[in-house]
């Protein structure tokens, strides 16, 4: 996937200021940046959910915005702040996503069973999604994103609210997907996870790419977390919050 000169303005706020990124096929690509950096806006433009003001998105050689239906068929997307048809059960929702992508009923049923088991949701397969916890909702949305076995997966904070065992299962699913030739782009705030899981990373802040490349090149001998803080800055000591210190009462 290639993002070329992507721009997005909301009113007078420039959310994404000309981002260029090349995500090699078969890579596990992490996108990191402080709150408000422009990660979700960039990923929304990269997946056909938000039209860029300027710029181009190429998915496996296809211009996504020139032919969104074709481009989107190559993608699996876990958007931020997922809005789901939550009056369906988990099983129905995954089935619906699979049918929408043109899979036949038999294939969808088999894959839904596999996904629910892999994500530890079998016991809640017949529970309405509206009754799911935040982590369960994240997992069922992930199942919907991968049920059609897309060539490229774009996941906005897939580990947020997910318990450690499920997170390890998801990591394993994604790692073997990449090993079999799939491409994953994932945004996360957990530097340690990105360092261990991804082979490439881009650090973005204020709508700009500050550094991008292989994880080893970007972290340059330091931990990704230290490198992130060095690139992005903004550490505060909390010294200003004198009123919060109980000892000063
Ligand atoms: N719909 C919108 N209307 C107005 N401003 C927006 C909108 N969406 C995003 N922004 C602004 O664009 C900037 C980038 O937001 P974005 O959600 O892309 O950041 P992010 O890197 O995903 O942040 P976080 O890590 O907190 O999820 C922020 O300043 C945000 O306030």
């Amino acid at each position: 996937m290639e993002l070329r000169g992507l721009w997005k303005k909301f009113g007078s706020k420039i959310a994404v200021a000309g981002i260029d990124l090349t995500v090699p096929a078969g890579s596990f690509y992490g996108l990191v940046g402080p709150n408000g950096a422009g990660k979700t806006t960039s990923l929304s433009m990269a997946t056909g959910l938000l039209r860029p003001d300027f710029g181009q998105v190429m998915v496996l050689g296809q211009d996504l915005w020139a032919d969104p239906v074709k481009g989107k068929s190559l993608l699996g997307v876990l958007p931020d702040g997922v809005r789901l048809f939550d009056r369906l059960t988990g099983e129905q929702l995954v089935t619906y996503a699979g049918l929408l992508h043109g899979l036949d009923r038999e294939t969808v049923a088999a894959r839904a069973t596999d996904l629910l088991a892999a994500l530890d949701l079998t016991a809640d397969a017949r529970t309405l999604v509206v009754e799911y916890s935040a982590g369960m909702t994240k997992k069922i949305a992930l199942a919907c994103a991968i049920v059609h076995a897309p060539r490229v997966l774009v996941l906005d904070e897939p580990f947020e609210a997910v318990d450690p065992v499920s997170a390890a299962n998801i990591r394993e699913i994604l790692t073997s997907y990449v090993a079999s030739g799939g491409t994953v782009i994932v945004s996360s705030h957990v530097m340690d996870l990105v360092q261990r899981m991804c082979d490439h990373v881009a650090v973005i802040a204020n709508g700009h790419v500050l550094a991008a490349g292989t994880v080893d090149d970007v972290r340059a001998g330091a931990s990704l977390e230290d490198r992130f803080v060095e690139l992005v800055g903004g550490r505060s000591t909390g010294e200003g919050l004198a009123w919060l210190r109980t000892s000063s009462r």
Side-chain angles (χ1 to χ4, degrees):
M1 175 182 273
E2 256 193 82
L3 313 186
R4 297 181 186 154
L6 281 187
W7 268 89
K8 189 71 192 179
K9 236 172 124 177
F10 296 106
S12 60
K13 169 82 201 173
I14 300 173
V16 174
I19 277 189
D20 292 299
L21 274 187
T22 301
V23 179
S27 64
F28 204 142
Y29 207 108
L31 193 59
V32 300
N35 293 131
K39 301 181 294 298
T40 295
T41 307
S42 300
L43 293 182
S44 301
M45 291 191 284
T47 53
L49 298 172
L50 180 69
R51 188 175 288 279
D53 294 339
F54 304 105
Q56 203 178 27
V57 178
M58 302 298 291
V59 183
L60 302 167
Q62 294 282 328
D63 183 334
L64 179 87
W65 284 98
D67 186 352
V69 173
K70 180 88 197 276
K72 284 182 189 180
S73 70
L74 303 167
L75 294 173
V77 184
L78 175 71
D80 180 52
V82 221
R83 277 173 210 91
L84 300 169
F85 294 118
D86 56 13
R87 290 282 162 185
L88 298 179
T89 66
E91 190 176 36
Q92 287 170 336
L93 191 62
V94 181
T95 304
Y96 171 71
L99 294 176
L100 210 57
H101 280 288
L103 300 179
D104 62 74
R105 280 198 170 271
E106 209 174 306
T107 307
V108 177
R111 289 189 187 179
T113 305
D114 289 349
L115 284 166
L116 290 163
L119 296 168
D120 194 25
L121 287 171
T122 305
D124 293 291
R126 304 224 159 119
T127 305
L128 295 183
V129 172
V130 69
E131 292 170 22
Y132 277 14
S133 70
M136 291 161 77
T137 307
K138 194 68 127 181
K139 289 194 287 181
I140 205 71
L142 179 65
C144 293
I146 62 184
V147 66
H148 59 298
R151 301 270 306 278
V152 181
L153 263 177
V154 182
L155 311 173
D156 203 348
E157 303 196 21
F159 300 102
E160 188 188 51
V162 169
D163 71 69
V165 173
S166 299
N169 289 340
I170 293 172
R171 271 206 314 278
E172 198 179 296
I173 293 169
L174 298 180
T175 306
S176 75
Y177 170 79
V178 169
S180 69
T183 306
V184 175
I185 304 158
V186 61
S187 76
S188 176
H189 286 294
V190 189
M191 295 303 124
D192 183 47
L193 185 72
V194 172
Q195 183 173 330
R196 277 186 293 128
M197 188 176 68
C198 298
D199 45 53
H200 287 69
V201 67
V203 182
I204 71 170
N206 296 320
H208 295 276
V209 177
L210 299 185
T214 66
V215 170
D216 287 342
D217 283 349
V218 169
R219 69 191 180 92
S223 73
L224 187 59
E225 182 155 350
D226 287 346
R227 185 74 180 116
F228 177 93
V229 173
E230 187 188 322
L231 283 165
V232 169
R235 278 279 290 121
S236 88
T237 58
E239 272 168 18
L241 307 181
W243 49 267
L244 191 59
R245 286 192 273 283
T246 52
S247 57
S248 64
R249 269 190 213 142

